[in-house]
Amino acid sequence: HEITETFPLEIIVTPKMAFGTGHHNTTQLIIEQLFSTELKNKTIIDAGCGSGVLAIAAEKLGAKSILAYDIDHWSVENTIENIELNQCNCITVKQGTIDEVKPEPSDIILANINRNVLLSEMESYKKYLKSNGLLILSGFIEPDVEILKKSATEKGLIFQNTQAKDDWYCLVFKKN
């Protein structure tokens, strides 16, 4: 696509077996959230990175350090290729779950995954999020919103906002 003022960020992705070309509503919702969040000098975790598009966007928008991880080998390989295509140098890629890769606590966690994975990893997201850090979730539809809000708030995270695009949603929480 040709870059215009409407689309001020260019990300080159070679789609393979990994999820995430940037065209899905959930990816767009998180990128929109990144545009409205101060990323300069922030540390980011891209949980379930797929093709790495969210990690790449975070670096291009000023994040100083990003850990992208996925359980899928193909996603890890595709993320590494896409990082090179976009000449990024602040992204580390690992394979495994959040508890297997044991990241340093970060300022922001991005998780564009299905509801069940988000629910099962909610406690870990809180654990690996710095105080006043943001948890940005997407990958789910309207019936999942209240379930995810309840899980996050029961774990002490504070609801910040929600966005929707067609039937897909994005939720933002803050850790005190």
Side-chain angles (χ1 to χ4, degrees):
H1 303 282
E2 197 172 310
I3 197 162
T4 67
E5 285 185 30
T6 315
F7 303 105
L9 190 64
E10 181 179 35
I11 299 174
I12 301 166
V13 174
T14 302
K16 292 193 176 178
M17 298 290 286
F19 176 84
T21 61
H23 291 106
H24 196 271
N25 288 341
T26 59
T27 308
Q28 292 174 19
L29 284 164
I30 290 184
I31 290 175
E32 287 171 15
Q33 191 66 46
L34 291 177
F35 269 101
S36 65
T37 303
E38 177 56 55
L39 298 183
K40 190 171 174 67
N41 295 317
K42 300 289 185 188
T43 56
I44 311 271
I45 296 171
D46 181 1
C49 60
S51 67
V53 69
L54 294 177
I56 293 164
E59 180 173 327
K60 288 180 178 263
L61 291 171
K64 74 173 179 179
S65 173
I66 301 114
L67 170 64
Y69 73 86
D70 204 294
I71 61 170
D72 181 70
H73 170 75
W74 293 109
S75 292
V76 170
E77 292 300 316
N78 194 214
T79 295
I80 292 167
E81 292 171 5
N82 290 327
I83 288 168
E84 291 172 6
L85 278 174
N86 288 277
Q87 301 172 354
C88 292
N89 53 26
C90 299
I91 303 169
T92 303
V93 185
K94 294 187 178 182
Q95 185 173 346
T97 66
I98 193 166
D99 290 317
E100 291 169 344
V101 301
K102 295 178 176 47
E104 292 293 317
S106 291
D107 297 303
I108 299 169
I109 296 177
L110 311 173
N112 186 13
I113 314 175
N114 69 64
R115 178 196 75 178
N116 292 339
V117 173
L118 294 172
L119 289 170
S120 69
E121 294 193 342
M122 192 73 71
E123 187 67 42
S124 296
Y125 297 150
K126 181 184 175 192
K127 175 182 174 183
Y128 295 111
L129 196 59
K130 291 180 181 177
S131 288
N132 295 312
L134 295 177
L135 174 60
I136 304 173
L137 306 176
S138 197
F140 49 88
I141 56 177
E142 194 274 330
D144 302 328
V145 170
E146 289 307 314
I147 296 166
L148 288 161
K149 278 171 118 175
K150 182 178 184 218
S151 175
T153 55
E154 284 176 350
K155 291 176 179 43
L157 297 170
I158 300 164
F159 174 72
Q160 299 295 292
N161 68 60
T162 186
Q163 291 178 295
K165 188 172 262 208
D166 296 326
D167 295 331
W168 298 96
Y169 283 76
C170 177
L171 297 172
V172 181
F173 298 91
K174 188 173 188 176
K175 179 180 176 180
N176 261 353

